[in-house]
Amino acid sequence: LYNVPYMRDKRKKPLLLHFSLENELTMNIMWLYRNLKENETLEACDLSHVDVKEAARYIKEKMGVNGYHVEMLRVNPSKCTYHDFFDMVMGFEEKGYEVHMIVCDYLSMMDKRGLIHGPSGVEIRDLFRRVRNFIAPRGITFITPHQLSTQAKEMIRQKVNNFVQEIANKGYYEGCKQIEQEVDLEITIHI
């Protein structure tokens, strides 16, 4: 929306990929449409009369203003391994796209087949490591949320002051305490 694509290969087309393992595609389209529309008009957006195809066209138009192509996919997490994900990205590359960013709605939901398994959290850390090792040499920005652990949720129930500051950089992730060793940036948000 705001950035002009910096192309490493000028023969390719710049791509932004939204890859959801959680929500249905129509839900994500309407969510993004609402965010874009409200940002543009500075007014609340009523989705009750918005057609999903109209919303998709609007997203492509707005997100493509500087040359980006946008793809939004919904994949069954029980049938998608990291190999499948890599194949999908390479498929876009073979079609002439240079992938600049992937927003993955809950990477940890992905099928764990083919990963290293061991003590609690080893397969999640391995998944994050493999994805980072795949996307980093390609110059792809990869963003994914990850839930907090039950210990962090207990702190919320106890009404701990300065919750975000209290848990930041302390490994309070669902299912794994060492994800921070595999990522370049961690942002902790409490809504």
Side-chain angles (χ1 to χ4, degrees), residues 106-150:
Y106 289 105
L107 176 64
S108 62
M109 291 179 69
M110 192 173 284
D111 187 312
K112 309 296 187 294
R113 282 177 288 150
L115 296 169
I116 297 171
H117 290 271
S120 180
V122 169
E123 68 279 354
I124 294 173
R125 181 177 176 190
D126 189 37
L127 177 60
F128 273 75
R129 179 187 306 118
R130 288 174 191 255
V131 169
R132 185 182 188 286
N133 290 343
F134 176 79
I135 57 112
R138 288 172 157 74
I140 300 171
T141 298
F142 185 86
I143 300 170
T144 188
H146 193 83
Q147 295 290 336
L148 296 175
S149 69
T150 54

Side-chain angles (χ1 to χ4, degrees), residues 22-89:
E22 182 184 36
N23 298 332
E24 291 303 320
L25 184 57
T26 54
M27 183 177 179
N28 287 336
I29 288 171
M30 298 309 273
W31 174 85
L32 184 53
Y33 173 84
R34 173 183 276 152
N35 281 287
L36 290 170
K37 198 70 163 171
E38 289 178 353
N39 187 48
E40 179 184 330
T41 64
L42 301 177
E43 295 178 7
C45 177
D46 177 13
L47 295 176
S48 62
H49 302 295
V50 179
D51 176 64
V52 71
K53 288 181 181 177
E54 174 191 328
R57 278 192 299 277
Y58 178 83
I59 291 168
K60 285 190 180 241
E61 175 189 323
K62 291 298 177 186
M63 299 295 288
V65 71
N66 286 317
Y68 276 109
H69 179 76
V70 177
E71 284 288 333
M72 296 179 75
L73 306 170
R74 196 312 182 167
V75 178
N76 181 340
S78 298
K79 296 181 179 181
C80 183
T81 67
Y82 72 93
H83 287 292
D84 300 322
F85 174 67
F86 295 170
D87 288 346
M88 202 175 310
V89 172

Side-chain angles (χ1 to χ4, degrees), residues 5-13 98:
Y6 173 79
M7 300 301 294
R8 294 175 298 281
D9 184 342
K10 304 265 189 241
R11 298 167 296 170
K12 302 232 175 198
K13 300 171 282 188
E98 183 176 282

